[in-house]
Amino acid sequence: NNNNNNNSPYLNATETAVLFCKYQNDFATPGGKIYETTREVMEATNMLENSKAFMRYARNVGCTIVHCPISLQPGQSPITDMPFGVVERIKAARALEFGEWGAEIVEGLTPLQGDLICPKYGMCAFGSTGLDQELQSLGIKNVIVVGFLTNGSVESTIRTAYEKCYNVFVLPDCCAACSLEEHVFSVNQNFALFATLADGVAMMKALAPMEMVPEEEKEAEEEPASAAAATTPSPSTTSK
């Protein structure tokens, strides 16, 4: 159960993937077709700068970086050909159109060599993709989810990651929705049911290589960590 995922505040970066959901121009860049609706929350949480800083750090310590843009490419999924709900709203705004500037990943968060790119056709990063199999093949146990929209792709993805028995973390200061009310409701009412909440700085500390951790903190964590390892079986979705 991933509610017990924080026996130790330190995570093995090589067993950790960070899923960056929908960091695309139409959401996150001035001139984007949805930017004016996400702008208020982006500015309130400083999510774009926080996300850039977190991506740099996570990549440097050895996390797997996964880009999860939404692709409204015709013919790829029933949800894009027969849209309803949030996807219908996106299509009505002519946003995130396949092959257009608005669907491109924002400057400063573009993929680098070694990153995974996992386009999705709906809200969940797992639902319409082979992401779970890819993460299993890499030995990933911990999943950190950030991005757009707080109450859409982010929440949908953490729910599924929870069901698949990953240790799930979410960083609200790296998320944004179309209104503060929607963002705050998801963070306060729903996120804690499926994930451990943290801010970017706390998660950087959790991912710090052990040689960077003060000796007294290492010693304090050694016994509980080994006890947990002895009594807690690995989640089946990440076993080899």
Side-chain angles (χ1 to χ4, degrees):
N1 185 319
N2 59 331
N3 284 332
N4 296 324
N5 58 3
N6 211 19
N7 290 319
S8 167
Y10 301 109
L11 298 180
N12 184 340
T14 63
E15 296 178 344
T16 302
V18 189
L19 312 186
F20 288 84
C21 296
K22 296 195 308 199
Y23 283 84
Q24 293 162 271
N25 287 324
D26 272 341
F27 280 115
T29 305
K33 292 175 180 174
I34 311 172
Y35 174 74
E36 288 304 321
T37 64
T38 57
R39 179 179 179 179
E40 177 189 20
V41 185
M42 287 178 64
E43 291 178 350
T45 62
N46 197 34
M47 68 88 70
L48 198 55
E49 294 308 312
N50 291 341
S51 299
K52 290 176 181 178
F54 189 73
M55 178 182 280
R56 286 192 298 270
Y57 185 87
R59 185 184 279 125
N60 287 341
V61 296
C63 295
T64 298
I65 303 298
V66 186
H67 303 268
C68 305
I70 191 168
S71 175
L72 299 186
Q73 184 176 4
Q76 292 296 319
S77 168
I79 200 169
T80 58
D81 292 340
M82 300 176 63
F84 56 92
V86 65
V87 174
E88 183 178 29
R89 288 162 58 187
I90 291 171
K91 293 199 77 170
R94 299 184 62 85
L96 301 165
E97 292 184 327
F98 181 76
E100 299 296 325
W101 171 85
E104 293 176 5
I105 294 174
V106 300
E107 185 178 351
L109 287 165
T110 50
L112 298 183
Q113 185 173 1
D115 293 358
L116 301 182
I117 305 174
C118 189
K120 58 194 183 69
Y121 305 110
M123 295 298 101
C124 178
F126 292 95
S128 56
T129 70
L131 179 60
D132 185 36
Q133 293 85 348
E134 186 73 33
L135 296 184
Q136 287 189 52
S137 73
L138 295 171
I140 298 299
K141 297 178 181 179
N142 313 305
V143 170
I144 303 168
V145 185
V146 295
F148 298 89
L149 296 167
T150 312
N151 57 331
S153 291
V154 173
E155 185 171 323
S156 180
T157 298
I158 67 171
R159 286 171 179 262
T160 304
Y162 174 91
E163 295 282 355
K164 292 182 178 295
C165 296
Y166 289 98
N167 296 329
V168 189
F169 300 83
V170 62
L171 313 182
D173 65 341
C174 294
C175 296
C178 290
S179 73
L180 272 173
E181 181 182 17
E182 292 171 327
H183 175 79
V184 169
F185 183 89
S186 273
V187 171
N188 289 348
Q189 302 299 321
N190 296 338
F191 276 12
L193 298 174
F194 309 104
T196 297
L197 279 68
D199 60 39
V201 172
M203 191 55 63
M204 288 180 192
K205 180 181 178 184
L207 290 165
M210 286 303 286
E211 60 268 21
M212 295 172 58
V213 177
E215 277 304 318
E216 60 272 17
E217 294 188 32
K218 287 185 192 176
E219 291 169 8
E221 293 305 323
E222 245 171 41
E223 188 174 340
S226 42
T231 58
T232 306
S234 298
S236 60
T237 54
T238 54
S239 61
K240 289 291 182 271

